Amino acid sequence: MKIIMLGAPGAGKGTQAKMIAEKYKVPHVSTGDIFRANIKNGTELGKKAKEYMDKGQLVPDELTVEILLDRVAQEDCKNGYVLDGFPRTIPQADVLDKELTKLGDKVDFAINVDVPDENIVRRMSGRRACLKCGATYHIEHIPPKQEGICDVCGSELVQRDDDKPETVQNRLSVYHEQTQPLIDYYNEKGILKSVDGTKDMQDVFSEITGILG
Ligand SMILES: [Zn+2]
């Protein structure tokens, strides 16, 4: 079973990808993890990717796909995998499709974890962190006992730059521009399945398992 996870940053697709991987006993293939592993192990592909990253440039689609295909060619992926963070753009999806076709292979499902922007902004901007001990909170869901103060160590809680509404909005704009077109792309291929990502994590997962069987 080969699955692609789609959804905005903060929609919870990484969590669902991990849960799918566990239930169906297939690897959770996250592009971030593969990049880090290749760079850490000093592979040829990792060295090439690092050259771009050191210059602050984006890793080209061809190289990203090459690194990904190298990963999914490994033994543990022979019964399938869950792709998380790839493809991000139509050109990447096209290259993936072409390469899989060459191998006589295809993606079975593209699962879209659908969450409206305003929910994502609310989720992210409610996060608070303690920079001293690393504890994390959420003003609505996991509030500290005393507002603005860490339960564990008593330090002041802060909102990380990554969780500020303007940062979240920026990431969402990039997503809508580059990645959302993939929803139409996979819909046309007949493999798109959307689930309501505003629901509780377990309910979202039940919806997904209902689709995957
Ligand atoms: Zn603390």
Side-chain angles (χ1 to χ4, degrees), residues 129-137 149-157:
C130 173
L131 298 182
K132 198 170 172 215
C133 76
T136 53
Y137 302 87
I149 303 293
C150 179
D151 291 350
V152 183
C153 72
S155 300
E156 203 175 324
L157 299 177

Side-chain angles (χ1 to χ4, degrees), residues 150-179:
C150 179
D151 291 350
V152 183
C153 72
S155 300
E156 203 175 324
L157 299 177
V158 299
Q159 184 177 43
R160 290 200 187 103
D161 285 341
D162 261 8
D163 297 334
K164 296 212 160 103
E166 57 272 27
T167 315
V168 177
Q169 283 292 1
N170 280 340
R171 277 203 304 265
L172 288 170
S173 308
V174 172
Y175 167 77
H176 287 305
E177 195 182 307
Q178 295 188 345
T179 309

Side-chain angles (χ1 to χ4, degrees), residues 124-145:
M124 305 295 274
S125 61
R127 290 188 187 172
R128 294 293 179 273
C130 173
L131 298 182
K132 198 170 172 215
C133 76
T136 53
Y137 302 87
H138 191 284
I139 53 172
E140 286 173 46
H141 311 299
I142 330 160
K145 290 194 187 80

